[in-house]
Amino acid sequence: MNSVDPLEITYLRVRGMWHIENPWKVFSYIYQRNHDNLFNFMAIINNEKWESLKNKDELLSIKNERLTIADIKIKDPNNPLKLKKAKLITYYL
């Protein structure tokens, strides 16, 4: 819309805006945080990226009951009907 004022010096510009859901909501089918914990950490790494990490053996060698690394399947962002292999890393306090 242009020239909506008597001096014809204004115009309306509309831009699309995208929003993204909170990861806790997006991945709620994989992990539910425990609100009783002081701290919840969740990381999802697809298998391709996981295999490229040079220090994954170091991460796997950490012995801590609060740290877990699990094999999971996540929805493929390009085709939600397909599942992709990934790792779920969780840690809590």
Side-chain angles (χ1 to χ4, degrees):
M1 295 179 66
N2 295 323
S3 304
V4 294
D5 63 299
L7 296 177
E8 298 183 354
I9 59 173
T10 60
Y11 61 93
L12 174 65
R13 180 175 155 193
V14 179
R15 292 184 286 165
M17 293 184 68
W18 294 95
H19 294 263
I20 188 165
E21 287 287 345
N22 185 308
W24 290 114
K25 187 183 266 188
V26 172
F27 294 104
S28 64
Y29 68 99
I30 292 182
Y31 180 75
Q32 295 288 321
R33 64 182 161 172
N34 183 340
H35 292 281
D36 294 334
N37 294 336
L38 295 174
F39 177 77
N40 288 277
F41 172 82
M42 169 189 72
I44 297 174
I45 303 175
N46 68 46
N47 268 15
E48 294 83 23
K49 182 65 176 177
W50 176 259
E51 292 303 324
S52 73
L53 296 176
K54 295 185 181 359
N55 63 343
K56 67 180 175 238
D57 292 332
E58 184 179 323
L59 185 59
L60 290 169
S61 69
I62 296 172
K63 302 294 182 214
N64 188 319
E65 62 201 32
R66 296 179 179 159
L67 174 71
T68 62
I69 302 172
D71 292 318
I72 59 170
K73 291 187 178 180
I74 59 171
K75 295 175 186 175
D76 185 333
N78 298 317
N79 183 353
L81 298 176
K82 287 185 177 180
L83 296 176
K84 291 181 72 166
K85 292 181 179 180
K87 299 284 185 195
L88 171 65
I89 302 170
T90 59
Y91 181 78
Y92 67 92
L93 289 176

